[in-house]
Amino acid sequence: MTSDTKSVGQILEQWVSGKTPNPLESQQLLAEELADHLKAKAFGITEDNGEQVIQARSHLFEIVYPDILRLPYFETTPETQQKTLLCLWNLWLPLAMELVSCRKQLGRPLIQGILGGQGTGKTTLAAVLSVILHKLGDGLRPAFSERTLSLSIDDLYKTYKERQQLQEQDRRLIWRGPPGTHDVELGLQLLDQLRSPSPTAEILVPRFDKSAFGGAGDRITPEVVESIDIVLFEGWFVGVRPIEPEAFDGSVPEPIHTLEDREFARDMNQQLRLYVPLWERLDRLMVLYPTDYRLSQQWRLQAEKQMIAQGKSGMEDSQIRDFVNYFWKALHPELFITPLTRNPNLVDLVVEINPDHTPGVIYSPGDAD
């Protein structure tokens, strides 16, 4: 980069300050896009369509960036603003445009799965995509206003009473969250309704309040929706498939230590089989993949400290480690998620997440070495 050449971040910063990119800067945006071969291939960007893609993305950028910067997820310092703008340009906008394209090709509502652990940004991603899709048209109606639905695997939890009964049957189910604590049949009915909606029927979307019953959580009044076009279905094991039971016989990663740990992992793997029909309703699956799975524990520690600093209640460090280890024992990332990042038959897009929560390498599994 020469002294006269601005970085993409600088171009975006001056853009939101009122200075639209000149032709040279637009060419630079295109060159940067094509230089990232894996991401360009994942989003179908070529030298032939590149200028058209940058023009369309630029138009959308101008429309949505004010709303994105106002979201409560993002601070307004100069450094954090540039990070947000880069995420918007490099990931959120091309992903939203890809979803619209897939929705058109399907000719029916699209179910997009988002797999990501603690701190990977899946909730933020769903919120940002909802804002962008609100502004995008599909050629049939002017915009996706109120036609994008964010759904979490948490919304499919069994009721408080049902989970209490589960804990009585299996004392290892210390926390809600592992396979077996969700109402899979409810999820199947919901996704089937969303995929093939009746023009006149309202759809009841289950919602879950984590604060109910002293933090144990319970279902609350369902949300009533209709005419949904894109469903963003996110969760810490959305799309994760069971593995061969023999995987727990040999060497296993930390923190699976004892025979009891291995047995728990086998049982959770068996429970995971019940979720496969749910994952088969997904039209697409993307993985938010930390560069090191252990980052999720670090991120959880940071999040709890921020909550405590704000006067809210939070867990102690030892409690957080036990909490995260519990989920690693249930479905360990190295055993269940890492293989997915190399499986083009099950996953469409992988976004590596850096230690500072920003997206790193973006690729389709079939294109990665």
Side-chain angles (χ1 to χ4, degrees), residues 43-236:
F43 288 127
I45 303 169
T46 65
E47 291 187 2
D48 291 335
N49 68 11
E51 288 189 10
Q52 182 181 355
V53 168
I54 293 300
Q55 184 178 9
R57 194 189 304 179
S58 298
H59 177 67
L60 188 56
F61 178 86
E62 290 186 336
I63 294 173
V64 304
Y65 81 76
D67 292 330
I68 299 300
L69 293 179
R70 282 195 292 265
L71 287 173
Y73 302 98
F74 309 119
E75 300 176 12
T76 56
T77 64
E79 181 184 359
T80 55
Q81 176 171 291
Q82 186 168 125
K83 285 183 180 179
T84 301
L85 294 174
L86 283 168
C87 288
L88 176 60
W89 181 261
N90 289 323
L91 174 61
W92 300 332
L93 289 176
L95 177 57
M97 295 167 74
E98 180 83 359
L99 294 183
V100 172
S101 176
C102 290
R103 160 69 179 89
K104 289 180 182 178
Q105 292 174 15
L106 273 179
R108 63 160 175 78
L110 169 76
I111 313 292
Q112 169 69 61
I114 303 173
L115 165 61
Q118 174 72 33
T120 54
K122 55 188 181 294
T123 303
T124 303
L125 175 64
V128 168
L129 287 174
S130 295
V131 171
I132 298 172
L133 292 169
H134 177 87
K135 302 289 187 180
L136 269 170
D138 67 351
L140 299 176
R141 283 179 268 182
F144 274 102
S145 179
E146 299 182 343
R147 294 168 55 198
T148 301
L149 176 70
S150 292
L151 177 71
S152 171
I153 189 72
D154 295 355
D155 291 316
L156 301 182
Y157 277 132
K158 294 181 177 180
T159 65
Y160 172 75
K161 183 178 180 180
E162 290 169 336
R163 285 180 289 111
Q164 289 295 105
Q165 294 170 345
L166 274 179
Q167 283 186 319
E168 291 175 6
Q169 297 166 11
D170 189 346
R171 293 294 180 183
R172 299 174 303 174
L173 296 176
I174 305 169
W175 286 291
R176 64 172 184 263
T181 60
H182 305 87
D183 189 333
V184 176
E185 187 58 37
L186 176 66
L188 289 171
Q189 293 173 6
L190 175 62
L191 292 188
D192 284 343
Q193 284 182 297
L194 290 167
R195 281 165 59 102
S196 303
S198 167
T200 58
E202 294 180 334
I203 299 174
L204 299 181
V205 179
R207 293 304 188 192
F208 191 82
D209 179 6
K210 295 180 181 180
S211 67
F213 290 99
D218 202 8
R219 287 195 203 146
I220 56 175
T221 304
E223 179 184 357
V224 180
V225 302
E226 57 185 9
S227 300
I228 296 297
D229 285 281
I230 294 178
V231 179
L232 304 172
F233 183 21
E234 55 92 356
W236 76 279

Side-chain angles (χ1 to χ4, degrees), residues 36-44 90-91 95 98 284-291 337-344 346-353 359-369:
D36 190 338
H37 302 294
L38 287 175
K39 181 164 76 79
K41 195 168 183 180
F43 288 127
N90 289 323
L91 174 61
L95 177 57
E98 180 83 359
R284 292 169 50 89
L285 178 64
M286 65 179 296
V287 182
L288 304 177
Y289 186 62
T291 52
I337 298 179
T338 298
L340 281 178
T341 65
R342 300 189 291 264
N343 190 333
L346 297 177
V347 174
D348 302 280
L349 188 70
V350 178
V351 180
E352 293 190 358
I353 306 299
V361 181
I362 300 171
Y363 61 91
S364 295
D367 300 329
D369 293 333

Side-chain angles (χ1 to χ4, degrees), residues 237-264:
F237 70 97
V238 165
V240 170
R241 303 294 179 118
I243 60 178
E244 293 299 323
E246 292 75 23
F248 305 104
D249 295 337
S251 176
V252 288
E254 298 279 345
I256 303 173
H257 295 293
T258 66
L259 290 175
E260 290 77 10
D261 291 340
R262 290 175 188 261
E263 191 61 30
F264 179 61

Side-chain angles (χ1 to χ4, degrees), residues 294-301 320-321 324-325 328:
R294 289 174 288 255
L295 284 167
S296 62
Q297 189 171 84
Q298 176 184 320
W299 290 333
R300 185 59 190 251
L301 287 166
I320 295 169
R321 292 189 182 93
V324 175
N325 283 343
W328 286 346

